[in-house]
Amino acid sequence: MPAKKPAKKAGRNLPEKYKNYIGGRWVKPASGEYLENRNPADTRELIGLFPASSARDVETAVEAAAAALPKWRATPAPKRAEILYRLGQLLMERKEEYSRAMTREMGKVLKEARGDVQEAIDMTFYTAGEGRRLQGYTTPSELPNKMAMCVRQPIGVCSLITPWNFPMAIPSWKMMPALICGNTLVIKPAEDTPLSTIHLVQAAEEAGIPRGVINIVMGAGEDAGAPLTTHPGVRLVSFTGSTETGRLVAIEAARNDKICSLEMGGKNVIMVMDDADLDLAVEGTVWGAFGTSGQRCTASSRIVVHQSVYRQFVDKLTEKTRGLRVGNGLRSNVDVGPVINQQALDKILSYIEIGQNEDGAKLHLGGSRLTDGELRHGYFVEPTIFTDVRPNMRIAQEEIFGPVVSIIPCRDLDEAIEIGNGVKYGLSSSIFTRDVNRAMTAMERMETGIFYVNSSTIGAEVHLPFGGTKATGNGHREGAMISSLDIFSEWKSIYIDYSGTLQKAQIDNQ
Ligand code: NDP
């Protein structure tokens, strides 16, 4: 992503200048420079100025995290959990304030921003409970008078690099398990949404997180993110974002001997069978395709519909989509907010053009930027439907990350599954059917990390594994305790021999 506008010299009404949080202090970036953060629904509104950090800030942040590590890892996990419980409580108390701020900085409609903060609350309480578990296991040894067990160990300093579309939820998915496992961390939020992550860190500070355990360094990916993938003091890089950036992160992590977990893009599919409740399927499509203006990694961007109900489905979807109100997400009657920035707007409009030029696909509804009245100050795109899309077209293969949905006809379940799986990504999929056999067949054969029956492709809950196959991830899962603990802890196997002799495994008992 190109760097944001550097801040101009401030005038009379000084906008708030935010700082990095390093070693328990809010500090200016080494460069002394800041980036503007503007409301995507109305770019006249400046949210604030945020540090344009660089490798120098990363250096101090990693040092602070390393210095805090010995004490934090020695703190009993139930004690670490007490801080998380307090943090969860603070987030609950400030849910409305943080949600409103999130809508202003990110654009998603207020009820979805509340969902984002709620997810962070759920994750915080859920993880706090793990403070009294963090279970390892015991197992018999092959030798007599010998005990074998394994325990989870902290990894060390973790760097967390996060995207803008869930600016509090995604940092919480990484931060909470990293903390409960006894790691210290440096987080680099997306430059488009630093404020929501600052709120999470401020609340953690108030909840009593010791100095240096959490550090936040803001700025552009290339300047503040990249050094977090190479710094020798960092042991683990946990990244969520696009597949393109994730690949760069993975290469740097591998070059520098770091553990690396990646959550990346998606091209998710809803399959609508001829026996489906069509009204429900339409509702699920509207929510999945246009919720968060299509800017969710799990957004339903392809709808594969059985040919015998295809026309009926398209008619119903068209009617429902026409009823959506696009505008500033702070207004209670708005369903769809803006997209995040000019670059996203350009990308989405260029994909709409690509779709129109693809032989056979029809631009059925929408397709334009909205500029009426106040909307001209923001990045608004009409909810857009392409019909008669073929599975190999670019709009059906590539992640558009905007309110654009492709409707693809199919003959039967087998073809729907083939189309559904025929992309490089593997995050989420769903089927609408009343036939349990079809639902079970699809469940078994879909190559995605998440699968829904009679629901949209979005709506994950924190206590189930979250992540995807193929180009969506590198095999890790966030969320659900066991899988996220597996990212943020390392196993230590322990053998205790109380036989009084030197017993040799694989040799003594041949
Ligand atoms: P990006 O890949 O553009 O950015 C993600 C983060 O990486 C940002 O903080 C960015 O900083 C940073 N970054 C950019 N370049 C580098 C670099 N060279 N080294 C280190 N860090 C870097 O993704 P977006 O923010 O645009 O988010 C949208 C993408 O995220 C979509 O593809 C979506 O599918 C995916 N996503 C995946 C999820 C999942 O769980 N599978 C969940 C949510 C989103 P900056 O933005 O400041 O430049």
Side-chain angles (χ1 to χ4, degrees):
M1 185 173 295
K4 295 191 110 188
K5 255 197 200 165
K8 294 203 186 86
K9 282 257 179 300
R12 258 163 184 265
N13 292 325
L14 291 176
E16 181 154 7
K17 255 188 187 172
Y18 290 87
K19 293 176 177 167
N20 288 327
Y21 184 66
I22 298 178
R25 290 189 311 125
W26 294 92
V27 293
K28 292 179 187 164
S31 65
E33 291 184 6
Y34 293 81
L35 301 172
E36 285 187 352
N37 182 14
R38 291 185 175 272
N39 180 345
D42 186 341
T43 55
R44 293 170 302 177
E45 185 189 354
L46 183 61
I47 305 294
L49 301 177
F50 293 83
S53 309
S54 62
R56 282 189 287 162
D57 305 285
V58 167
E59 181 71 37
T60 6
V62 174
E63 272 171 21
L69 184 65
K71 201 164 167 200
W72 183 244
R73 63 176 287 157
T75 304
K79 286 278 160 211
R80 300 198 286 257
E82 283 171 17
I83 298 175
L84 297 198
Y85 281 121
R86 280 200 292 280
L87 170 56
Q89 190 61 39
L90 285 172
L91 294 175
M92 269 172 67
E93 287 163 18
R94 299 190 189 152
K95 181 173 169 183
E96 193 58 21
E97 178 197 337
Y98 289 169
S99 305
R100 286 182 174 275
M102 185 184 295
T103 294
R104 282 176 58 225
E105 94 163 337
M106 187 275 168
K108 63 171 76 176
V109 298
L110 189 53
K111 75 170 179 222
E112 292 181 20
R114 290 187 187 120
D116 196 310
V117 178
Q118 186 59 47
E119 204 164 308
I121 295 168
D122 294 345
M123 193 64 202
T124 306
F125 282 126
Y126 179 56
T127 313
E130 200 56 34
R132 288 189 182 271
R133 280 187 295 270
L134 276 184
Q135 283 149 350
Y137 58 92
T138 61
T139 186
S141 161
E142 63 184 49
L143 294 161
N145 299 319
K146 191 170 175 183
M147 187 189 169
M149 64 179 176
C150 53
V151 297
R152 292 183 184 278
Q153 297 272 284
I155 288 178
V157 176
C158 301
S159 66
L160 316 180
I161 302 175
T162 54
W164 46 266
N165 63 338
F166 280 86
M168 192 176 278
I170 292 179
S172 80
W173 293 355
K174 298 180 187 301
M175 201 183 271
M176 305 314 154
L179 292 174
I180 205 72
C181 289
N183 304 290
T184 57
L185 58 93
V186 182
I187 183 163
K188 205 298 280 177
E191 65 193 278
D192 280 307
T193 54
L195 184 57
S196 298
T197 315
I198 286 181
H199 284 154
L200 185 61
V201 173
Q202 280 173 339
E205 183 187 27
E206 281 179 56
I209 201 82
R211 284 163 181 251
V213 171
I214 296 178
N215 304 276
I216 180 170
V217 173
M218 286 162 266
E222 293 82 355
D223 303 329
L228 281 170
T229 64
T230 54
H231 194 292
V234 170
R235 268 296 290 141
L236 173 145
V237 186
S238 172
F239 169 87
T240 300
S242 62
T243 298
E244 293 68 32
T245 311
R247 201 174 289 128
L248 296 178
V249 166
I251 290 169
E252 288 310 321
R255 267 202 198 113
N256 292 279
D257 302 323
K258 301 191 190 316
I259 301 165
C260 177
S261 80
L262 304 169
E263 299 288 346
M264 302 179 288
K267 190 72 187 173
N268 313 290
V269 67
I270 291 180
M271 297 172 288
V272 182
M273 294 294 99
D274 52 352
D275 63 340
D277 175 338
L278 280 194
D279 291 321
L280 188 65
V282 164
E283 212 181 313
T285 300
V286 169
W287 175 229
F290 304 127
T292 324
S293 307
Q295 304 170 109
R296 288 177 179 237
C297 50
T298 51
S300 318
S301 52
R302 298 178 297 148
I303 317 297
V304 178
V305 186
H306 195 286
Q307 60 192 18
S308 66
V309 292
Y310 185 81
R311 276 295 135 214
Q312 220 185 330
F313 176 85
V314 170
D315 290 347
K316 282 175 182 281
L317 178 65
T318 309
E319 192 191 328
K320 195 107 186 154
T321 305
R322 280 212 173 100
L324 293 175
R325 285 148 305 192
V326 181
N328 188 323
L330 283 176
R331 294 196 207 295
S332 57
N333 62 348
V334 163
D335 303 299
V336 181
V339 300
I340 188 70
N341 56 29
Q342 182 69 47
Q343 195 201 10
L345 179 72
D346 295 343
K347 177 181 167 193
I348 294 161
L349 294 177
S350 82
Y351 268 106
I352 292 173
E353 205 179 318
I354 289 168
Q356 285 175 283
N357 293 330
E358 291 195 282
D359 198 18
K362 293 192 189 93
L363 176 60
H364 178 77
L365 190 74
S368 303
R369 178 178 185 179
L370 290 167
T371 52
D372 290 349
E374 284 194 347
L375 298 190
R376 71 181 186 283
H377 299 297
Y379 307 115
F380 294 96
V381 180
E382 280 181 292
T384 299
I385 301 174
F386 277 98
T387 54
D388 298 351
V389 175
R390 282 201 304 278
N392 58 351
M393 290 177 173
R394 282 187 65 190
I395 52 170
Q397 288 288 326
E398 297 170 21
E399 192 181 38
I400 301 174
F401 228 55
V404 181
V405 67
S406 292
I407 317 294
I408 307 171
C410 74
R411 285 187 307 274
D412 53 24
L413 178 64
D414 279 342
E415 196 187 22
I417 292 174
E418 194 184 322
I419 296 169
N421 283 335
V423 290
K424 70 175 181 178
Y425 300 105
L427 185 51
S428 182
S429 59
S430 93
I431 187 166
F432 281 87
T433 180
R434 291 181 172 111
D435 180 340
V436 68
N437 294 356
R438 282 173 162 175
M440 295 300 287
T441 302
M443 182 198 76
E444 204 175 290
R445 287 172 47 194
M446 288 311 296
E447 298 162 356
T448 53
I450 305 169
F451 178 73
Y452 296 88
V453 178
N454 292 329
S455 190
S456 191
T457 53
I458 62 183
E461 299 176 30
V462 299
H463 54 296
L464 277 84
F466 186 94
T469 64
K470 304 193 281 190
T472 297
N474 65 342
H476 296 279
R477 293 290 185 270
E478 292 189 336
M481 259 323 120
I482 301 295
S483 51
S484 55
L485 297 184
D486 281 344
I487 297 176
F488 291 102
S489 64
E490 281 182 304
W491 285 111
K492 179 181 278 177
S493 299
I494 300 164
Y495 303 90
I496 304 164
D497 195 317
Y498 51 97
S499 67
T501 58
L502 187 68
Q503 302 194 85
K504 301 184 192 76
Q506 293 95 37
I507 294 172
D508 283 0
N509 54 358
Q510 269 175 23

